[in-house]
C-alpha cells in the first residue's frame, strides 16, 4: 500500500499539476480564428443590354447588396482581425474587372464587436489586398460585387474565378 | 525545483513560444462567374425610310443623263462573338420590286468611321444590286460602330444607265426594297 500511495503522490504533484499548466498554456492554440463565406455570384449579361446596333454593352453590372455574407468567428470573444481578398482565376479575361464593397456591418455577437473599412468599391486582383478590419465575432457581413469593363470586344463565353477571403488575427 | 518540474516548465515555455495566439489565418472562398452572350445586330440609320433617286436631264445636248446619288444612310452594327465564331459579312440584295428598264441600282459601303471599336469590317466596293445577296462589308469581328448617322459605314446609292435605248421616261418610276443581312 505504501507503494501505491507513493505513486499517487508522484502523479499529483509532479505530473498532473504541470500537465494542467501545460493544457492552460496550450489553450490559445485551440482558439482558431475562422472565416465563413456563404453565397456566390453567377451572372449572365443580358443580350438586351445592347439596345441599339452600334452600341457596346453598358459595361458595369452590380450584384445584390447581400450577394455574399462573411462571418468571422473564434473560440475567444475578443480579438482583432483583418480580412484580405483576392481572386484566383479559373477561366477569366483580364479585361474584366471585379470590384467589391462591404454594404453593412453584419451581426456583431456583442456590443464591443465592430467592423471597419471596405465600404467603398475596391478592385479584386490576383494579389491579396486588405478589405476590412474588425474586432470580435461578427456574422453575415454583407458584400456587394461589381463587374466592370465588360464589352463586346471580349470573346462571348463563360468566365469563372474564385474569390478568396483570408482572415488574419492581429 | 525537481527535474520533472524543470522539464514541465521548459515544455510550457516552448508551447507559449510556438503558440499562434496571434497571426492565425483562415480562408474561405466562393465562385464568381459571368457569361457574355453572343450578339450580332445591325440597323440602318437614321431610319429605314425610303430614298428617291431621279435621273436628271442632260445639262447640255450630247451629254448623258445626270446620274443621281444618295448618301443619307449609314449601317451600324454590334458584334459580340464567341471565341470560335467566324467574322461576319453584311450582304445586300433587292428583295422586292423591279427597276425601270435600262437602269441599274448600285451601292457602295464606305470605310468605317465613328466612335466604335474593335475589328470593324472592310468595304467590298461598288456593287450592282440584284435579287441575289452580295457582300458589301466583310471581316466584321468583335466590334461596335457607334450609333446613328456618321457612325459605321456610309451607304452610297447611285443609278447607272445600262441601256440608254431602254429608258422610258413616261413611267412613273419604280420602287424596290433593298434588304441587308449580317451573317457568316
Amino acid at each position: 500500500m505504501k507503494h501505491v500511495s507513493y505513486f499517487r503522490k508522484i502523479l499529483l504533484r509532479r505530473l498532473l499539476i504541470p500537465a494542467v499548466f501545460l493544457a492552460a498554456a496550450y489553450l490559445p492554440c485551440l482558439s482558431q480564428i475562422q472565416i465563413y463565406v456563404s453565397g456566390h455570384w453567377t451572372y449572365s449579361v443580358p443580350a438586351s443590354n445592347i439596345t441599339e446596333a452600334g452600341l457596346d454593352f453598358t459595361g458595369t453590372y452590380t450584384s445584390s447588396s447581400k450577394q455574399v455574407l462573411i462571418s468571422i468567428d473564434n473560440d475567444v470573444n475578443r480579438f482583432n482581425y483583418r480580412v484580405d481578398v483576392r481572386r484566383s482565376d479559373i477561366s477569366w479575361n483580364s479585361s474584366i474587372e471585379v470590384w467589391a464593397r462591404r454594404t453593412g456591418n453584419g451581426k456583431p455577437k456583442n456590443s464591443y464587436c465592430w467592423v471597419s473599412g471596405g465600404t467603398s468599391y475596391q478592385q479584386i486582383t490576383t494579389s491579396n489586398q486588405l478589405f476590412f478590419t474588425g474586432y470580435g465575432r461578427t456574422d453575415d457581413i454583407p458584400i456587394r460585387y461589381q463587374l466592370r469593363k465588360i464589352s463586346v470586344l471580349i470573346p462571348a463565353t463563360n468566365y469563372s474565378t474564385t474569390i478568396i477571403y483570408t482572415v488574419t488575427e492581429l | 525545483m525537481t527535474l520533472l518540474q524543470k522539464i514541465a516548465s521548459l515544455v510550457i515555455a516552448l508551447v507559449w513560444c510556438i503558440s499562434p495566439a496571434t497571426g492565425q489565418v483562415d480562408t474561405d472562398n466562393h465562385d464568381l462567374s459571368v457569361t457574355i452572350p453572343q450578339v450580332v445586330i445591325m440597323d440602318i440609320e437614321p431610319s429605314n425610310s425610303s430614298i428617291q433617286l431621279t435621273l436628271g436631264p442632260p445639262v447640255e445636248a450630247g451629254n448623258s443623263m445626270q446620274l443621281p446619288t444618295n448618301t443619307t444612310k449609314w449601317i451600324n452594327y454590334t458584334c459580340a462573338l464567341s471565341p470560335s465564331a467566324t467574322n461576319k459579312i453584311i450582304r445586300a440584295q433587292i428583295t422586292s420590286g423591279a427597276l425601270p428598264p435600262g437602269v441599274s441600282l448600285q451601292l457602295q459601303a464606305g470605310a468605317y468611321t465613328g466612335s466604335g471599336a474593335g475589328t470593324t469590317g472592310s468595304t467590298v466596293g461598288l456593287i450592282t444590286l440584284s435579287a441575289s445577296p452580295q457582300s458589301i462589308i466583310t471581316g466584321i469581328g468583335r466590334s461596335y460602330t457607334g450609333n446613328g448617322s456618321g457612325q459605321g459605314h456610309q451607304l452610297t446609292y447611285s443609278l447607272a444607265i445600262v441601256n440608254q435605248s431602254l429608258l422610258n421616261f413616261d413611267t412613273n418610276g419604280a420602287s424596290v426594297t433593298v434588304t441587308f443581312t449580317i451573317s457568316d
Side-chain angles (χ1 to χ4, degrees), chain B residues 5 8-9 12 16 25-26 28 50 61 73 75-76 83 98-99 112 136-137 162 164 166 177:
Chain B
Q5 286 172 330
S9 300
I12 290 169
W16 272 113
V25 174
D26 189 32
D28 200 3
S50 62
K73 302 294 187 185
I75 281 188
N76 296 169
L99 291 166
Y112 165 76
I136 60 167
I137 301 168
V162 293
Q164 188 91 21
L166 294 178
T177 300

Side-chain angles (χ1 to χ4, degrees), chain B residues 81-130:
Chain B
L81 304 177
S82 71
S84 60
T86 56
N87 287 349
K88 303 303 175 188
I89 298 171
I90 295 177
R91 297 177 175 88
Q93 66 185 115
I94 294 174
T95 51
S96 70
L99 291 166
V103 172
S104 68
L105 179 59
Q106 297 181 319
L107 174 63
Q108 180 166 7
Y112 165 76
T113 183
S115 59
T119 307
T120 53
S122 302
T123 179
V124 167
L126 188 68
I127 66 162
T128 298
L129 287 164
S130 68

